[in-house]
Amino acid sequence: MATNEPAMQLETGTRSHNYYRNAVEKHWDPHEIDLEADREGAAELPDPAFEGLKQSLALFGAGEESVTEDLSPLAVVLEDIGDQMFITTQLYEESKHTDFFDRYWRDVIHTEEERRGQELSSPTDEKWFNEPYDELFERNERAMALLLEEDTPENRAKAHCHYHLTIEGILAQTGYYGLTLAYGENEPELPDLPGLVEGLKLIRSDEGRHVGFGMAKLKELVSEGDVDPDLLRETVDELVPLVQESLTSDDGASSEGGPGPSPSDLADYAYTKHEQRMRQITTASEQIPDVEELTELDA
């Protein structure tokens, strides 16, 4: 149908378009990851470590499902066509991450539970989640939904701080980093789970791109004087204790003195990464890393 409205122009050199293209070029299918060796490795896990693995997978699987549902308001309020195109890839990728964890639970966890004569568990059972975890995601949901009620620069900044800087940048990326170290070839006290590690590396690459997009939008808001940098720090600082309490568990793969990275090591990793991102966002002379650098892995 004919219209007098001007067509939306796609600027192919913009950062958002580069993020979109990077997502297209790095497509992967969670059902193409081979899980046969993981079924064998899971059989070598002692009971406490097996329960710890299940709790970690439940936490992150539920997290991916939650952020898939909560991202939609941002897709509604962003006006730039490049931003909109990128957000469609992020929605798709969060759905893939949910699919990966669901498949892993059915194909690896259930298979091992059957072998051990255990009742089949559900990754959505409330026993896996504590109150700080629920509160963290409820706050994220509220921050995103508020955009539909009052789309202001401050509310956009808070939404990006909840979603991209905290949920993805601190909780998810740090947790995935720890699991990758624990079940990769560099941890002799735990069996290798190569399918899990491959999936986590692909997810972490996606998350790096997502975090970079949020950082870029926050830097725009700060550099244009629309929000005070202190708002970013105050928002994240309120959420960090919930992140720390969310991951408190009896997982032998992540406890002090046990196999895998210790909580203090992961806390140092998270702090270093977050401080680096905040400098890049709030310092005029600093640049947000290129999308290729954002999706490179350090483990």
Side-chain angles (χ1 to χ4, degrees):
M1 179 172 20
T3 176
N4 293 325
E5 293 294 325
M8 299 183 74
Q9 296 297 310
L10 175 62
E11 298 183 23
T12 57
T14 63
R15 181 181 291 271
S16 293
H17 181 265
N18 292 339
Y19 288 161
Y20 164 78
R21 285 304 312 166
N22 183 268
V24 172
E25 292 161 5
K26 292 195 172 184
H27 169 80
W28 58 279
D29 184 347
H31 286 255
E32 291 180 352
I33 296 174
D34 186 356
L35 300 180
E36 182 176 356
D38 291 52
R39 288 188 284 270
E40 297 174 0
E44 301 176 24
L45 286 169
D47 287 342
F50 185 50
E51 290 302 307
L53 174 63
K54 287 195 284 187
Q55 180 163 31
S56 294
L57 294 176
L59 287 170
F60 294 117
E64 293 292 351
E65 180 177 348
S66 177
V67 295
T68 302
E69 298 169 348
D70 296 342
L71 185 60
S72 298
L74 193 59
V76 172
V77 300
L78 289 174
E79 305 93 348
D80 179 78
I81 182 61
D83 291 347
Q84 293 171 359
M85 289 173 67
F86 171 75
I87 289 295
T88 62
T89 68
Q90 183 169 350
L91 280 164
Y92 171 56
E93 286 165 353
E94 303 294 5
S95 299
K96 285 199 305 182
H97 302 170
T98 301
D99 186 12
F100 172 77
F101 285 111
D102 177 71
R103 180 187 172 222
Y104 199 91
W105 199 279
R106 287 183 287 103
D107 289 4
V108 178
I109 299 302
H110 278 173
T111 298
E112 181 55 22
E113 287 176 332
E114 289 177 340
R115 192 193 69 80
R116 298 187 187 207
Q118 299 176 350
E119 182 179 351
L120 297 187
S121 62
S122 168
T124 61
D125 193 309
E126 292 184 0
K127 70 179 181 179
W128 306 119
F129 315 110
N130 58 24
E131 290 184 8
Y133 181 92
D134 291 337
E135 176 66 18
L136 180 66
F137 281 90
E138 287 170 5
R139 290 194 191 187
N140 181 66
E141 182 180 6
R142 291 197 297 268
M144 299 299 290
L146 188 58
L147 293 174
L148 301 180
E149 301 175 17
E150 191 176 4
D151 180 20
T152 65
E154 291 79 9
N155 284 343
R156 286 199 185 192
K158 290 179 181 179
H160 286 301
C161 285
H162 278 75
Y163 193 109
H164 293 103
L165 288 193
T166 305
I167 298 291
E168 294 194 307
I170 299 178
L171 176 67
Q173 286 201 326
T174 302
Y176 295 153
Y177 170 76
L179 281 177
T180 300
L181 291 180
Y183 292 103
E185 296 178 355
N186 58 338
E187 179 47 72
E189 296 185 51
L190 290 170
D192 293 345
L193 300 178
L196 176 62
V197 170
E198 180 183 354
L200 292 176
K201 286 184 175 180
L202 291 165
I203 291 171
R204 288 173 59 211
S205 179
D206 290 345
E207 300 285 11
R209 182 169 51 251
H210 302 169
V211 173
F213 174 80
M215 290 172 62
K217 303 313 292 181
L218 285 168
K219 192 172 184 71
E220 288 178 12
L221 291 169
V222 171
S223 63
E224 293 173 5
D226 293 329
V227 298
D228 190 305
D230 288 342
L231 176 66
L232 278 55
R233 291 194 177 276
E234 291 168 1
T235 302
V236 176
D237 286 348
E238 289 180 0
L239 299 172
V240 166
L242 292 175
V243 173
Q244 295 170 332
E245 295 170 26
S246 295
L247 299 179
T248 300
S249 72
D250 296 325
D251 180 0
S254 61
S255 61
E256 295 285 1
S262 69
S264 59
D265 289 339
L266 293 179
D268 290 343
Y269 173 86
Y271 176 80
T272 300
K273 285 288 185 182
H274 177 64
E275 286 301 307
Q276 180 185 55
R277 291 174 186 139
M278 289 300 296
R279 287 196 305 271
Q280 292 165 342
I281 292 169
T282 60
T283 305
S285 59
E286 294 265 359
Q287 298 295 319
I288 305 297
D290 180 83
V291 64
E292 292 294 339
E293 184 179 349
L294 288 164
T295 55
E296 289 178 359
L297 303 179
D298 42 20

